[in-house]
Amino acid sequence: MGRDPISSPRNQRVAYARSLASASVRRSERQTIIEGPAALAAAVGASADVVEVFALEGDATPDDLGLGDRAITVTRPVLEAISDTRSPRGPIAIVTIVEAGPLEQRDTLVLHEVGDPGNAGTLMRTAAAFGFQVATTPGTVDLWSPKVMRSAAGAHWATRLSSLADGIADLDAAGLAVVATAVRGGVGPNEAFATERPIALLVGNEPHGLPAHVVAASWRTLTLPMAGDVESLNVAIAGSIALYELGTRRGLGTGGSG
Amino acid sequence: MGRDPISSPRNQRVAYARSLASASVRRSERQTIIEGPAALAAAVGASADVVEVFALEGDATPDDLGLGDRAITVTRPVLEAISDTRSPRGPIAIVTIVEAGPLEQRDTLVLHEVGDPGNAGTLMRTAAAFGFQVATTPGTVDLWSPKVMRSAAGAHWATRLSSLADGIADLDAAGLAVVATAVRGGVGPNEAFATERPIALLVGNEPHGLPAHVVAASWRTLTLPMAGDVESLNVAIAGSIALYELGTRRGLGTGGSG
C-alpha cells in the first residue's frame, strides 16, 4: 500500500463498489459490501470470500485480518462515496454472496414480506443465535443489502438461507408445520408448538403483520401472551421471542448456560 | 382553523416547539413533542396532556381526536423545521412529560446507561407489553426524546417510570433482587429468577453490556442459552426475551392467550 490513495470516485473499482448499492447489481454480480472492522472480522472468521477491501491510509485492519493483498487505500471522500452510512470509519469490503440453498427439514424462520431492513437483519441475528435456518418470500427485502447486513451483525455467515419461490406452499412441500404469528386471535406457545415435525415460524411486516390468507393456510397461529390492554410488540421483538420459545422447547435449555 | 397557515419558523410557538429538540429544554419545561397520527392517538387514548398540535392544512387528525381547539395550521417547511424526521406527515404535538415517580416494589426493567434511543424505546415497549415498571440510571438516554418515543410506540403512557439517582443502590433499598444480564458467564433463567422477591432486571448498552462492578454487585447474572458459537443477540432482543421469560414465570401464562 505504498502508493497514493485513490481519490477519484470515478476510479473503476470504486465505481463498481458503489454500484453494489443497487439490489439488481448485487443479484447479477453475486457480491455485496460490508462495513467496519467488526463486520469484516466476522466475515473473515467465517471464511467468507472477501474480494477487495477499501481502507483509509493508516488503517491497520486489512493487514491485521490477513487481507493486505486485497486492500486498496482510498481518501475519505471516496470511502464516503462507497458507504451508505454518514461517517464511515472503514474499511469497506466487497464480499461474495452465499447462494441460497434448498430448505432443510428443520426448524425455520420465515420472513414473509418483511420490508424493513432493520427488522429483517435483527431477526436473522436472533435466528442464528438460536440455530434456525432462514427462508424468505419474494416480497421480503434483499437480505444482502448493507442495511440488513449491519443489523444482522454477521448472521449471514452463520445461518442457512433459502428463498421460497412459491411462498408457504414450499414449506408444506418440505414437510414443515407452518406456524403463523399474530398480535391477537392465536393460541399460546404450548399449543402452537405441539408437534414433533420441524416448524416454519412465519413473521410478517410491521405494522400490518401476516395477510389473512396466510394465517388461514397455516397449521397453527401463535399469539404471545401480554399484560392487559397494551400496544403490540415490535415485530422483531415478537418474532425473536417466538424463536426463543421454540428453541428452548427443542432443547436449547433454560436450566443453565454459560 | 380558518386563518392562513403559519409559514415562519420564527413564529413564537413554532420556535418553542423546535427548542424541545434539546434535552435540557425538555427537562426544564417538562414538555416534549410526538409525531404522527398513531403517536397522537395513543397519547389521547391514554389521557396524556396534549398542549398544542401543529398540522398541515387539511389534516383532519386534530379534529378527529377532539384536539381542534389546540390545533395550529402550519406550512410544510414549518412542519419540517419542528420535526426530527425527514418527511414528516404531521401532526406534531407538544405533550406534557409525566414526572418520574418512586420505585414500586415490583418487577422492574432497569436501563443501565443505555445510550441508543432505538434500543431504549424498544425495551420500554416490551416492558409495557409484559407489565413491568421501567427505571433508568443517570447515564441512560433521555426517555422523552422524540427518537425514544418513536420506538416506544406509546409505552410512555402505559408504563411507570423512575429515575435511579444512586444507581443500583436504589434497587437494593427498594427490596428488589438485582439480576444482571450478560452475554456469557451467567446462569440460566431457572436459577436467575429463583426468588419470590420482585426482580430488577438490568440491561446494559451495546456493545459493551453492563460494567463488571455492576455485574459483581448483582444478586444473580442471567445468560440466555444460545446455539453454539454465535454472535450475541441485539441488546433490545436479549432484554426483551429476558422480560418475557420473567413475565411468564410471574403468571403471564404461555398455555393460551387471545
Side-chain angles (χ1 to χ4, degrees):
Chain A
M1 298 213 286
R3 286 166 297 179
D4 282 343
I6 291 172
S7 59
S8 167
R10 284 185 301 278
N11 169 281
Q12 192 188 332
R13 295 310 301 164
V14 172
Y16 174 70
R18 295 176 71 180
S19 75
L20 294 172
S22 149
S24 64
V25 175
R26 289 195 298 270
R27 247 191 317 274
S28 62
E29 300 293 330
R30 307 303 307 161
Q31 295 186 339
T32 187
I33 61 170
I34 57 175
E35 292 203 29
L40 196 48
V44 169
S47 304
D49 178 34
V50 179
V51 178
E52 207 152 45
V53 184
F54 302 88
L56 294 175
E57 210 161 10
D59 185 344
T61 312
D63 283 334
D64 290 350
L65 293 174
L67 299 168
D69 59 327
R70 275 154 283 181
I72 297 176
T73 309
V74 298
T75 60
R76 175 160 290 286
V78 167
L79 197 75
E80 286 171 0
I82 303 174
S83 173
D84 80 322
T85 61
R86 280 203 192 160
S87 307
R89 57 190 281 210
I92 298 177
I94 298 176
V95 294
T96 300
I97 290 173
V98 178
E99 297 292 331
L103 271 179
E104 287 184 354
Q105 203 175 358
R106 59 187 182 89
D107 293 330
T108 305
L109 167 68
V110 179
L111 301 174
H112 189 281
E113 297 177 8
V114 175
D116 182 81
N119 285 337
T122 301
L123 283 163
M124 282 186 73
R125 185 173 173 181
T126 305
F130 295 144
F132 288 75
Q133 70 180 333
V134 175
T136 56
T137 61
T140 287
V141 63
D142 173 22
L143 296 187
W144 295 91
S145 84
K147 277 186 185 167
V148 174
M149 298 196 75
R150 194 155 48 239
S151 296
H156 288 72
W157 317 117
T159 317
R160 186 184 174 78
L161 303 176
S162 296
S163 305
L164 306 177
D166 294 324
I168 67 171
D170 290 350
L171 302 170
D172 291 328
L176 306 182
V178 178
V179 175
T181 52
V183 173
R184 55 185 63 81
V187 297
N190 285 348
E191 202 175 333
F193 295 148
T195 177
E196 300 290 311
R197 281 193 294 160
I199 284 176
L201 187 77
L202 264 63
V203 174
N205 68 17
E206 186 161 83
H208 300 297
L210 293 167
H213 73 272
V214 170
V215 173
S218 298
W219 175 66
R220 296 272 162 89
T221 299
L222 169 70
T223 295
L224 292 172
M226 282 191 262
D229 183 32
V230 289
E231 280 295 298
S232 69
L233 295 164
N234 167 288
V235 67
I237 299 290
S240 294
I241 290 174
L243 289 170
Y244 172 79
E245 261 285 1
L246 179 55
T248 55
R249 281 154 198 266
R250 300 303 205 192
L252 202 61
T254 57
S257 119
Chain B
M1 298 213 287
R3 285 167 294 179
D4 283 342
I6 292 173
S7 60
S8 168
R10 285 185 300 280
N11 169 282
Q12 193 189 332
R13 295 310 302 165
V14 171
Y16 174 69
R18 294 177 70 178
S19 75
L20 294 173
S22 150
S24 64
V25 174
R26 289 195 297 271
R27 247 192 316 276
S28 61
E29 299 294 330
R30 308 302 305 162
Q31 295 184 338
T32 187
I33 61 169
I34 56 175
E35 294 204 30
L40 196 48
V44 169
S47 304
D49 179 34
V50 180
V51 178
E52 207 151 46
V53 185
F54 302 89
L56 295 174
E57 211 161 9
D59 185 345
T61 312
D63 283 334
D64 291 349
L65 293 174
L67 300 168
D69 59 325
R70 276 155 282 181
I72 297 176
T73 309
V74 297
T75 60
R76 175 160 291 286
V78 167
L79 197 75
E80 285 171 1
I82 302 173
S83 173
D84 81 322
T85 61
R86 279 203 191 161
S87 306
R89 57 189 283 209
I92 298 176
I94 298 177
V95 294
T96 300
I97 289 174
V98 179
E99 296 292 331
L103 271 179
E104 287 184 353
Q105 204 175 355
R106 60 188 180 90
D107 293 329
T108 306
L109 167 68
V110 180
L111 301 174
H112 189 280
E113 297 176 9
V114 175
D116 182 80
N119 284 337
T122 301
L123 283 162
M124 282 187 72
R125 185 173 172 183
T126 305
F130 296 144
F132 288 74
Q133 69 180 333
V134 176
T136 57
T137 61
T140 286
V141 62
D142 173 23
L143 295 188
W144 295 91
S145 85
K147 277 185 187 169
V148 175
M149 299 194 75
R150 194 154 51 238
S151 296
H156 287 74
W157 317 117
T159 317
R160 186 183 174 79
L161 302 177
S162 296
S163 306
L164 306 177
D166 294 325
I168 68 171
D170 289 351
L171 302 170
D172 292 328
L176 305 182
V178 177
V179 176
T181 53
V183 172
R184 56 185 62 82
V187 296
N190 286 347
E191 202 175 332
F193 296 148
T195 176
E196 300 290 311
R197 281 193 293 160
I199 284 176
L201 186 78
L202 264 63
V203 174
N205 67 17
E206 188 163 81
H208 301 297
L210 294 166
H213 74 270
V214 170
V215 173
S218 298
W219 176 65
R220 296 270 162 91
T221 298
L222 169 70
T223 294
L224 292 172
M226 282 191 264
D229 182 33
V230 291
E231 280 295 298
S232 67
L233 295 165
N234 166 287
V235 67
I237 298 289
S240 294
I241 290 174
L243 289 170
Y244 172 79
E245 261 287 0
L246 180 54
T248 54
R249 281 153 198 266
R250 300 305 204 192
L252 202 60
T254 56
S257 117

